[in-house]
Amino acid sequence: MKKILFVSSEAHPLIKTGGLADVSGSLPKALAELSQDIRLILPNYQQLKTQGEPRYLCTLRVDNQDVSILETQLPHSHVKVLLVDYPPFFDFPGNPYNDVTGNAWPNNAERFTLFCRVAVEIAMDRAHLNWKPDVVHCNDWQSGLVPALLSLEDHRPATVFTIHNLAYQGLFLGTKYHSLNLPNQLWHPDGLEFHSMLSLIKGGLVYADRITTVSPTYALEIQTPDFGYGLEGLLRHRQEVLTGILNGIDTELWNPQTDETIAQCYGIEQLDQKRANKIALQQRVSLPVNDRVPVLGLISRLVEQKGIDLLLDCLPEMVAMPIQIVILGSGSVSFEQRLQNFAHLYPQKLSVTLGYDENLAHLIEAGADIFLMPSRFEPCGLNQLYSQRYGTIPIVRQTGGLADSVVDALPESIANQTATGVSFHQANAGALMEAIKRTIVLFDHKETWRHIQRNSMRKDFSWRNSAQQYLSLYHEL
Ligand code: ADP
Ligand code: GLC
């Protein structure tokens, strides 16, 4: 049995802005089910939704500040969660990274430096919790300083750093470094310095014993200039310790047979009942109720990564087709406005819901026929996995985890019953449009469509395999 400290800045259902929360809420659970002794550590944000009051454990003095450690439980699991309670940094409305107006917290460097320092104290058992992990598993830039600071300790636990998205690096002005009271030994171009800036993600990339990312294809892509943001050289240099492990999903939360948030549960043998969800979805988002037109869904952060601009370029042609489009998301103001303008012009064709709504997300997965994920890059992506489990056929760009989890419906894959979606290569509107048209043709062949739906629903995206791969990695260390 391994003792694992899992360091993350979000975890579903306590606090979520994106896929990192899905992973941090479900991988520790899967590892606990494999009999590992795992604890999660998170900042105690004001928005955090715990079941009951967290329990006070102790107070630590870090960098001249008194920080309390609280303990709660990850709901529906045996995983203990340690909360870093420092109200001057975390007790504000807004999300983990931005204030309510969507601007990054001006003290993000200070906030996550403190969080990492506390994680290091726990990892070295200097909080006297009588528990010293064998492995500290960190995720994304917010926890990047943990491997860096631990590298300076004797008798330290092993460290793993997982890249969920290399586009977010925790970059700050280099002049900030010294005001953070970080050790001088880490400040050089082969350390935390990146072209005179402070790069918190480099703490993980340079100093962790092992680096993982969330799909095998993304592990290769980030070693190239197109996806590496200038870090490709460092990643190539560390390729011996870099692997890609495809994310799993929480198969209890995302299960069309038991999902309480949808209109009608259904399984692979009752695919006809999926129809009730389509009708409920059309009603919910005020589109004409029509069982025959294909409904295309999209749930996403509305940012460039997700190929929203490609979709916007396709919309004029799409609204002339016999289809409906349901979009749920939030993000860039310009994308939000352009989508809303279209929805106002074509209210019978396109519904746009701005904001964050988990119940609607489940209903879209269950009610749509087709799911759109035209991402420019996608480290793993979770909605294409949820879609396949719900028999909602994904259209994806062939990149990262999308390439690793969706099998394009071509004559051969249709014949040997491995097809689970439709994919396209080029990141342009023409290629997306061609994929949409190809999917509609398949949709009209009812029998073929059913086969593709069944192939998708049969796939095992549970954590079983991937959690085992993480465990093997911990054992190698
Ligand atoms: P990323 O982490 O890059 O945003 P993922 O596909 O890995 O992308 O995960 C996104 C997660 O966030 C999924 O669980 C998705 O359903 C959810 N999500 C994204 N936007 C919304 C929204 N507006 N409302 C509800 N859930 C959302
Ligand atoms: C990131 C990536 C996404 C991935 C998620 C969880 O947010 O953008 O592709 O699925 O992390 O690993």
Side-chain angles (χ1 to χ4, degrees):
M1 188 184 67
K2 287 280 174 195
K3 292 209 262 315
I4 306 147
L5 180 65
F6 197 89
V7 190
S8 179
S9 55
E10 48 180 290
H12 183 80
L14 299 170
I15 179 95
K16 165 165 165 175
T17 72
L20 173 60
D22 295 30
V23 173
S24 304
S26 54
L27 172 57
K29 226 162 84 173
L31 287 164
E33 279 158 22
L34 291 173
S35 308
Q36 306 305 305
D37 179 2
I38 180 157
R39 297 186 192 180
L40 183 61
I41 184 165
L42 287 171
N44 189 24
Y45 308 108
Q46 192 181 86
Q47 249 63 359
L48 204 99
K49 288 194 213 74
T50 55
Q51 282 177 337
E53 265 307 291
R55 188 164 74 96
Y56 169 83
L57 288 185
C58 62
T59 298
L60 288 175
R61 186 124 186 112
V62 279
D63 197 34
N64 289 321
Q65 287 142 329
D66 281 330
V67 183
S68 306
I69 308 297
L70 314 179
E71 186 186 273
T72 184
Q73 201 82 14
L74 187 67
H76 321 294
S77 80
H78 298 294
V79 178
K80 283 184 185 167
V81 184
L82 302 172
L83 299 175
V84 176
D85 188 43
Y86 188 66
F89 282 177
F90 301 119
D91 192 15
F92 293 93
N95 85 17
Y97 321 117
N98 302 327
D99 65 20
V100 274
T101 62
N103 290 317
W105 294 109
N107 59 347
N108 267 340
E110 288 80 1
R111 293 167 78 234
F112 289 106
T113 298
L114 178 86
F115 174 58
C116 289
R117 282 201 161 102
V118 174
V120 167
E121 293 304 290
I122 306 265
M124 296 304 294
D125 199 22
R126 288 195 287 257
H128 306 296
L129 301 180
N130 205 8
W131 184 84
K132 187 168 178 185
D134 305 304
V135 179
V136 182
H137 187 156
C138 304
N139 297 275
D140 277 354
W141 70 264
Q142 296 85 356
S143 54
L145 280 178
V146 175
L149 292 171
L150 277 176
S151 76
L152 306 174
E153 301 276 354
D154 291 329
H155 310 293
R156 64 168 177 90
T159 51
V160 175
F161 183 79
T162 298
I163 305 166
H164 294 263
N165 195 335
L166 196 63
Y168 300 93
Q169 301 170 2
L171 279 179
F172 300 94
L173 285 180
T175 45
K176 183 138 246 170
Y177 190 80
H178 296 287
S179 69
L180 291 169
N181 288 328
L182 288 166
N184 283 332
Q185 302 99 293
L186 302 175
W187 186 245
H188 51 87
D190 293 326
L192 298 175
E193 194 180 332
F194 183 64
H195 303 290
S196 311
M197 302 281 286
L198 163 62
S199 163
L200 294 183
I201 201 171
K202 277 188 78 189
L205 304 185
V206 173
Y207 296 99
D209 299 316
R210 289 284 196 288
I211 305 169
T212 71
T213 186
V214 288
S215 69
T217 295
Y218 194 60
L220 298 175
E221 287 173 339
I222 54 178
Q223 297 179 50
T224 68
D226 282 351
F227 296 86
Y229 303 96
L231 292 164
E232 62 274 9
L234 168 59
L235 288 164
R236 270 199 310 275
H237 174 69
R238 299 219 67 202
Q239 59 178 300
E240 297 289 303
V241 298
L242 166 63
T243 47
I245 302 178
L246 194 72
N247 285 333
I249 63 172
D250 185 328
T251 48
E252 282 169 31
L253 190 65
W254 294 96
N255 181 354
Q257 286 180 285
T258 55
D259 192 331
E260 285 171 5
T261 65
I262 64 179
Q264 165 80 57
C265 292
Y266 59 97
I268 193 164
E269 300 303 337
Q270 308 99 29
L271 264 167
D272 284 339
Q273 293 175 23
K274 188 172 172 5
R275 181 174 169 271
N277 294 301
K278 179 165 172 175
I279 291 168
L281 175 62
Q282 288 168 327
Q283 285 168 338
R284 164 89 198 262
V285 301
S286 309
L287 285 171
V289 172
N290 179 341
D291 181 27
R292 286 182 316 279
V293 303
V295 172
L296 286 75
L298 179 140
I299 306 161
S300 184
R301 292 185 291 119
L302 301 175
V303 295
E304 219 194 56
Q305 173 191 348
K306 303 294 178 178
I308 304 302
D309 51 326
L310 305 186
L311 178 67
L312 277 161
D313 288 346
C314 289
L315 278 179
E317 196 172 341
M318 288 171 79
V319 291
M321 293 163 69
I323 60 174
Q324 293 179 353
I325 308 149
V326 178
I327 295 176
L328 166 64
S330 65
S332 125
V333 178
S334 130
F335 285 149
E336 290 186 352
Q337 274 171 357
R338 288 167 68 194
L339 287 170
Q340 256 185 334
N341 290 346
F342 263 108
H344 286 140
L345 286 173
Y346 301 97
Q348 308 281 307
K349 290 283 178 162
L350 170 63
S351 147
V352 174
T353 307
L354 297 180
Y356 180 86
D357 185 335
E358 275 175 22
N359 287 349
L360 181 56
H362 280 250
L363 187 59
I364 293 175
E365 288 293 6
D369 299 293
I370 297 162
F371 196 88
L372 289 166
M373 252 176 122
S375 307
R376 290 180 178 276
F377 68 94
E378 197 61 79
C380 177
L382 297 169
N383 277 309
Q384 84 281 12
L385 307 180
Y386 302 147
S387 298
Q388 290 176 78
R389 194 157 158 78
Y390 280 68
T392 302
I393 302 310
I395 299 180
V396 302
R397 195 167 98 72
Q398 221 173 70
T399 181
L402 301 175
D404 291 338
S405 61
V406 174
V407 180
D408 194 10
L410 295 172
E412 197 190 329
S413 61
I414 293 174
N416 66 21
Q417 310 216 344
T418 53
T420 64
V422 170
S423 63
F424 63 99
H425 284 273
Q426 297 298 325
N428 61 50
L432 171 59
M433 204 58 233
E434 192 270 337
I436 292 171
K437 287 179 183 159
R438 193 150 63 85
T439 312
I440 306 292
V441 171
L442 291 167
F443 178 81
D444 289 335
H445 281 101
K446 286 298 160 223
E447 209 176 316
T448 308
W449 191 253
R450 268 285 186 272
H451 279 302
I452 302 176
Q453 285 181 302
R454 294 215 174 97
N455 300 342
S456 308
M457 293 177 82
R458 265 197 297 269
K459 282 191 103 170
D460 179 6
F461 290 118
S462 70
W463 273 106
R464 220 183 331 258
N465 284 329
S466 304
Q468 195 61 54
Q469 289 182 54
Y470 279 109
L471 195 53
S472 307
L473 186 83
Y474 300 155
H475 279 288
E476 277 169 28
L477 286 162

